[in-house]
Amino acid sequence: MSIALDIAGLHKVYRSGTVALAGIDLQVKQGDFFALLGPNGAGKSTTIGVISSLVNKTQGKVQVFGHDIDTDLEAAKSQLGLVPQEFNFNQFETLLQIVVNQAGYYGIPKTIALQRAEKYLSQLGLWEKRNARARELSGGMKRRLMIARALMHEPRLLILDEPTAGVDIELRRSMWEFLRTINQQGVTIILTTHYLEEAEMLCRNIAIIDKGLIIENTSMKALLAKLGKETFILDLDVLPSALQLEGFQWRALEGQSIEVDVEKAQGLNPIFSQLTAQQIKVLSMRNKANRLEELFVNLVEHGRGASA
Amino acid sequence: MNRRYLVAFKSILDKEITRFMRIWVQTLVPPAITMSLYFVIFGSLIGSRIGDMNGFSYMEFIVPGLIMMSVITNSYANVASSFFSAKFQRNVEELLVAPVPNYLIVLGYVGGGMARGMLVGLIVTLLSLFFVTIQIHNLAIIVLTVVLTSMLFSLGGLINAVYAKTFDDISIIPTFVLTPLTYLGGVFYSLTLLPGFWQQVAALNPIVYMVNAFRYGFLGYTDVSLWLALAVVVSFIVVLFSYAMYLINKGIGLRS
Ligand SMILES: Nc1ncnc2c1ncn2[C@@H]1O[C@H](COP(=O)(O)OP(=O)(O)O)[C@@H](O)[C@H]1O
Ligand SMILES: [Mg+2]
């Protein structure tokens, strides 16, 4: 299977001196539905800006379906559809003008562009509004207009930067449904979000970005399993080499300590009973600080705040 | 130019022309009114008292200059405000993410500015027919001059828009540079009226060459050498085009 997006060693330092990306490596496979999750200011939009050549990178390599943006930019651009975080259309143009012109920039002649405009504007529930000026649309409609616009040249990779921010629940669900259909038709989708729920609903794979670094890059399933797990550090009076802890993943640490992964459903009792049975005393116990965990607590709280 | 580029270029041009036609009350009507006033006041009322200018009635003499003045102002204003507003509303990103080479972005916007400049020029020419019988000495020179001049000032407007950070920034150059240069550019008087030293100063004003070349197309009369005039305009175009390309390639004001 080919690679839709390949990012290696990506750095971005803005003129202001802000280090937005501190060395990102990321691969997204063709056909994937991929989430880029992270708190505000993590570097999601900057990453997308670099991929879509709206932001100049400081260092690193980006390839879209094998086309390097440094040497083969037009080919890379042709494969890519972008739905940016902020509205970026001319408010005074009509929907039809906006999408047909956009197709034109990709070399799509007007007759074909008009057919596609009908197809995508209809699918996104905007065909009735085709002759309205963009500024007359509601926020959710503007968001969908940008999706229609991004699909006009039928890109193989669609990138959406926080597409559901400020969109009500009802509309959010229908948007998810639409994206799922597009993905099933073979379009690779990358979506940034700071709602874990959204990533969970839609995405197969996920990368978590924080302070310009990827801190986790795995399947959605593995991530959820990981999040359902806590790690405890137990200081023991003795640490026999033959220590048995049935049903738990554990690792020996320096001295007489061990680190045990505990799924929330398991509880701690079986650990204590097994240790007691082996005549091992637990001197102290603490929770292992986990950056991912902390991040998620923040994200989840933030997400609740935003949807409330 | 391959087919894909041609479609892209036509799309930008189409969008630009649609824009100024949509707001025709702001783009086409004001120059028509202003120039009609010039015709009435300078041509009919005052002009009759001024008498001949190098063997032509004052009205005959100033009409080509006034047409040129509206071409200059409108080409410049079109690209300056359209490109700046595309930056401001961020819809310039529609072009930046698309596989459109930078020279096509420049040519597309410049083409839009030329279209408005020339359309306004045509409107003003038609209006002038109410006040004067226009003679045509050399149509090819008229067309060539108007094409080159509108191109030159469209490029100027584009460069202005690249640097502009607020709407005020796109009116500074027209107010403080273009308008004075145009008024001093031999629109209203023959350079031969100026004392020797000031004639030499006027020769540094590029607008003098455009106005004179254009006037030559109508009257067959020019204060400066026609070939020098065309050479000056073409040189300016080459310089401004290269500079515009440099700015867009660098992404000044466009890419962070
Ligand atoms: N144009 C810019 N100039 C300077 N700093 C910027 C610019 N855009 C973003 N930043 C900074 O870069 C960091 C990453 O921002 P961004 O990529 O927008 O994050 P996210 O999309 O994840 O919220 C932030 O600290 C932000 O303030
Ligand atoms: Mg963002």
Side-chain angles (χ1 to χ4, degrees), chain A residues 14 16 18 20 39-47 85 161-162, chain B residues 256:
Chain A
Y14 281 106
S16 59
T18 308
N40 273 324
K44 303 184 293 297
S45 296
T46 302
T47 307
Q85 184 172 359
D161 197 356
E162 307 211 15
Chain B
S256 34

Side-chain angles (χ1 to χ4, degrees), chain A residues 87-222:
Chain A
F87 301 134
N88 70 341
F89 39 74
N90 185 329
Q91 304 274 341
F92 300 100
E93 286 174 351
T94 69
L95 278 62
L96 205 53
Q97 281 169 346
I98 289 172
V99 297
V100 169
N101 265 324
Q102 185 70 46
Y105 301 157
Y106 289 83
I108 296 160
K110 203 152 191 169
T111 42
I112 301 176
L114 284 168
Q115 290 164 14
R116 289 195 190 166
E118 177 162 4
K119 177 176 167 192
Y120 292 114
L121 287 178
S122 304
Q123 285 182 7
L124 286 149
L126 293 169
W127 182 242
E128 302 294 303
K129 290 269 182 191
R130 63 190 174 280
N131 292 316
R133 301 207 185 291
R135 64 167 172 184
E136 296 162 27
L137 301 182
S138 69
M141 285 174 166
K142 286 178 177 168
R143 204 51 72 190
R144 282 180 282 152
L145 169 60
M146 295 207 298
I147 298 180
R149 185 183 62 182
L151 292 171
M152 286 296 287
H153 63 289
E154 311 206 315
R156 293 164 75 196
L157 172 61
L158 180 66
I159 301 186
L160 305 102
D161 197 356
E162 307 211 15
T164 57
V167 171
D168 64 58
I169 282 286
E170 195 69 14
L171 201 58
R172 197 179 294 177
R173 282 181 200 286
S174 77
M175 215 183 259
W176 288 349
E177 209 44 60
F178 178 78
L179 292 177
R180 225 178 254 131
T181 314
I182 294 274
N183 178 242
Q184 276 156 12
Q185 287 164 359
V187 179
T188 310
I189 298 184
I190 300 174
L191 169 141
T192 77
T193 179
H194 53 241
Y195 305 123
L196 178 60
E197 187 206 6
E198 181 160 88
E200 198 180 331
M201 293 288 295
L202 290 171
C203 301
R204 271 188 292 282
N205 291 296
I206 184 164
I208 293 164
I209 180 171
D210 187 32
K211 302 191 176 75
L213 285 169
I214 301 278
I215 57 172
E216 189 70 52
N217 186 350
T218 179
S219 73
M220 201 66 225
K221 251 194 207 133

Side-chain angles (χ1 to χ4, degrees), chain B residues 157-204:
Chain B
L158 180 68
I159 292 168
N160 191 163
V162 166
Y163 283 113
K165 295 208 159 60
T166 68
F167 274 102
D168 290 337
D169 294 343
I170 54 174
S171 59
I172 289 174
I173 301 281
T175 311
F176 294 103
V177 181
L178 283 189
T179 308
L181 283 184
T182 313
Y183 277 79
L184 299 173
V187 173
F188 297 103
Y189 49 83
S190 166
L191 296 189
T192 54
L193 297 184
L194 297 174
F197 170 72
W198 290 106
Q199 280 191 28
Q200 283 168 9
V201 174
L204 297 175

Side-chain angles (χ1 to χ4, degrees), chain B residues 144 148 152 210 228-240:
Chain B
L144 184 64
L148 292 177
L152 170 50
M210 296 164 223
L228 176 61
L230 292 175
V232 166
V233 180
V234 170
S235 316
F236 266 94
I237 289 177
V238 171
V239 171
L240 291 194

